[in-house]
């Protein structure tokens, strides 16, 4: 990390609600045209993160894995575009040509398996790297690709951690 800069932060979550809560806090920093790359194994929690991010943007529709469509769009404070490259061989190539089109410029784009785009991913993005699967705690690395994305890291109070499950509102009540 560069001194005085907040390019990276690491947060641990112990359950999916914790990951959603983290994403919800980050969503406050969202601006039109933002790009967020979600990287982690199958079952790491990328879609859980997307759900929480959407909730933070005020999306009321249920966010599901968009594996069978190239891109799902949801309406919130800003439009949310959710892309999953897991099953879409060839889609990466298609996207690489015009990753951010005009419509996406008005909202936030979240891309699961973004590493499949390799060099086609602009460096101006927030990386969310999720380590761990199953019942393991998740180690979530948040990395700003350039100074324009530091606001996401700064939106997270230093030492922020999800509330313990017992103190949280029950499932289905929002975040
Ligand atoms: P991905 O999109 O990365 O394939 P999903 O978000 O669909 O993963 O699934 C993550 C799974 O892991 C869910 O079943 C979720 O309940 C579970 N899980 C357990 N602990 C966590 C955690 N701390 N964060 C996110 N998901 C978790
Ligand atoms: Mg997923």
């Amino acid at each position: 990390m560069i001194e005085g800069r907040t390019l990276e932060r690491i947060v641990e979550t112990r359950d999916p609600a914790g990951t959603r809560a983290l994403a919800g806090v980050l969503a406050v920093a969202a601006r039109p045209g933002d790009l967020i790359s979600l990287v982690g194994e199958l079952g790491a929690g990328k879609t859980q993160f997307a759900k929480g991010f959407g909730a933070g943007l005020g999306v009321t529709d249920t966010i599901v894995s968009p594996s069978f469509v190239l891109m799902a769009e949801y309406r919130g404070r800003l439009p949310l575009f959710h892309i999953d490259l897991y099953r879409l061989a060839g889609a990466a190539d298609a996207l690489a040509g015009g990753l951010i089109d005009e419509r996406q410029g008005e909202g936030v784009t979240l891309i699961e398996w973004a590493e499949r785009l390799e060099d086609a991913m602009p460096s101006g993005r927030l990386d969310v790297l999720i380590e761990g699967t199953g019942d393991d705690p998740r180690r979530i690395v948040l990395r700003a690709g350039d100074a324009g994305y530091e606001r996401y890291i700064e939106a997270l109070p230093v030492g922020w951690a999800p509330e313990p499950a017992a103190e949280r509102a029950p499932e289905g009540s929002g975040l």
Side-chain angles (χ1 to χ4, degrees):
M1 194 185 292
I2 300 165
E3 204 182 333
R5 306 290 289 273
T6 48
L7 292 172
E8 188 174 296
R9 191 80 73 79
I10 299 173
V11 177
E12 189 178 270
T13 70
R14 305 201 148 266
D15 53 34
T19 297
R20 293 196 302 270
L22 167 66
V25 172
L26 295 174
V28 171
R31 285 190 198 153
D34 280 356
L35 182 62
I36 300 185
S37 134
L38 302 174
V39 173
E41 285 177 48
L42 193 63
K46 300 180 294 297
T47 300
Q48 289 296 323
F49 184 97
K51 286 174 186 284
F53 198 92
L57 281 182
V59 171
T60 52
D61 285 348
T62 303
I63 294 175
V64 295
S65 180
S67 292
F68 299 101
V69 292
L70 182 54
M71 181 170 79
E73 179 177 353
Y74 299 91
R75 227 181 315 222
R77 169 172 76 79
L78 300 170
L80 174 66
F81 301 95
H82 187 197
I83 295 172
D84 187 339
L85 298 176
Y86 180 55
R87 285 191 189 81
L88 293 163
D93 293 336
L95 273 171
L99 182 60
I100 303 288
D101 69 22
E102 258 165 54
R103 231 157 31 103
Q104 281 165 271
E106 290 163 20
V108 184
T109 302
L110 263 55
I111 307 184
E112 299 193 29
W113 300 96
E115 70 270 34
R116 297 190 175 187
L117 287 172
E118 298 178 358
D119 296 344
M121 275 298 277
S123 59
R125 64 175 197 255
L126 178 73
D127 278 328
V128 179
L129 314 168
I130 309 179
E131 293 168 19
T133 55
D135 292 333
D136 293 344
R138 304 297 194 265
R139 181 175 182 270
I140 303 180
V141 179
L142 306 167
R143 191 174 297 147
D146 67 20
Y149 281 81
E150 285 181 20
R151 69 194 128 85
Y152 280 101
I153 316 286
E154 285 159 359
L156 203 60
V158 174
W160 185 91
E163 286 175 32
E167 289 165 32
R168 225 163 18 220
E171 199 84 9
S173 65
L175 265 186

